[in-house]
Amino acid sequence: MRSATVTPEGDRIRWAELPGREPTRVYVHGLGSTSPAYFAEAAAHPLLAGHRSLLIDLLGHGISDRPGTFDYTLEAHADALAEALTSANVAGAELIAHSMGGSVAIVLAARHPHLVSRLVLIDANLDPMQPTPGSGGSSGIAAYSEEEFLAGGWREVRDRAGAHWWSTMRLAGREALHRSAVHLVRGSVPTMRELLLDLTIPRTCLVPEADGPVVGGDALAEAGVAVVPVPDCGHNIMLDNPEAFACATAEALGGPDAGE
């Protein structure tokens, strides 16, 4: 395990690191998740192995610190991640990022362009959403006030999330989980989609094939963003269909020998 101080108060982001060649690959998890649990199999897959790889946990999640004073906006997450990558002597990284992690990765690439050379976004959030009481995911969490969530709303979220998601969600700080969800639903300004369209680095969006046509797919294609449907999977593409995920990600990164 490696770590870096990322706030003036001394809060630390932590990650598991695999040695290898450059460019470095940085794996970023989604809301209530942790990168080692979600990406270890992918990072070790023969099509993806061999690069220096950081399986990193955002502040408030997994093995990273869970400060109650951090605001957990997408921009704050991105800036903290930038501090960690800079401390780890990472530049021009290839980011493989899931769900909320994809939103953070987009903001990171826009705010700290020297740190990111390529994006692979896994069913990432590109647009603001409406908080929806009783729904799953970030919109359901964001429907609570912070006081309601801390007072017991988190138990309702636990019961809706199910054992699989809760196994990593329970590692997140409760303030961190709620604030991250609120700011994910609120989105960035400009929106994540607008930032993504304006980037000039190679960008790929992996999406579940079963979800059908991607919203705004024509505009993404016109801006040079590759949209790749992956079969036989849901939102957690890397867990649901590891082989197809590895194949699609390797292709997005330029093939298994890219960077040699």
Side-chain angles (χ1 to χ4, degrees):
M1 178 171 46
R2 310 284 179 89
S3 70
T5 300
V6 297
T7 69
E9 294 74 28
D11 304 301
R12 301 184 76 84
I13 276 180
R14 297 181 178 85
W15 63 92
E17 182 165 335
L18 304 175
R21 63 184 180 272
E22 296 292 336
T24 298
R25 291 176 177 168
V26 179
Y27 292 83
V28 188
H29 60 84
L31 179 70
S33 299
T34 172
S35 287
Y38 273 65
F39 285 115
E41 182 177 2
H45 191 283
L47 291 176
L48 297 174
H51 280 255
R52 183 190 182 201
S53 298
L54 278 60
L55 283 63
I56 201 159
D57 283 348
L58 298 171
L59 271 186
H61 291 73
I63 57 176
S64 291
D65 286 349
R66 298 176 282 280
T69 55
F70 195 70
D71 62 15
Y72 297 98
T73 63
L74 293 174
E75 293 81 4
H77 272 306
D79 290 347
L81 180 55
E83 289 287 342
L85 296 182
T86 299
S87 178
N89 296 314
V90 172
E94 299 174 334
L95 264 69
I96 301 99
H98 179 230
S99 196
M100 183 189 79
S103 303
V104 173
I106 292 167
V107 176
L108 174 71
R111 291 169 71 89
H112 305 276
H114 67 288
L115 293 175
V116 184
S117 65
R118 191 182 295 260
L119 287 176
V120 179
L121 306 173
I122 308 154
D123 209 19
N125 302 74
L126 301 183
D127 302 299
M129 298 174 283
Q130 287 296 321
T132 307
S135 69
S138 56
S139 62
I141 296 173
Y144 297 93
S145 69
E146 185 167 314
E147 292 76 14
E148 291 169 339
F149 186 76
L150 297 179
W154 66 269
R155 295 186 181 89
E156 298 172 355
V157 170
R158 174 197 62 193
D159 295 341
R160 291 197 299 266
H164 178 82
W165 193 11
W166 184 251
S167 69
T168 58
M169 189 186 288
R170 66 187 178 186
L171 302 177
R174 289 175 190 163
E175 295 95 343
L177 184 62
H178 182 265
R179 292 176 198 169
S180 293
V182 166
H183 290 293
L184 177 60
V185 166
R186 187 174 298 163
S188 59
V189 180
T191 68
M192 297 82 78
R193 183 181 297 272
E194 291 168 331
L195 293 174
L196 179 63
L197 292 173
D198 285 344
L199 294 173
T200 58
I201 58 176
R203 295 146 293 159
T204 300
C205 293
L206 306 184
V207 297
E209 185 177 73
D211 287 356
V214 172
V215 173
D218 290 343
L220 290 170
E222 186 175 327
V225 181
V227 178
V228 179
V230 181
D232 303 323
C233 66
H235 180 57
N236 296 322
I237 298 174
M238 74 295 287
L239 301 180
D240 296 340
N241 194 340
E243 190 65 28
F245 172 77
C247 290
T249 301
E251 181 68 22
L253 296 173
D257 297 324
E260 285 191 326

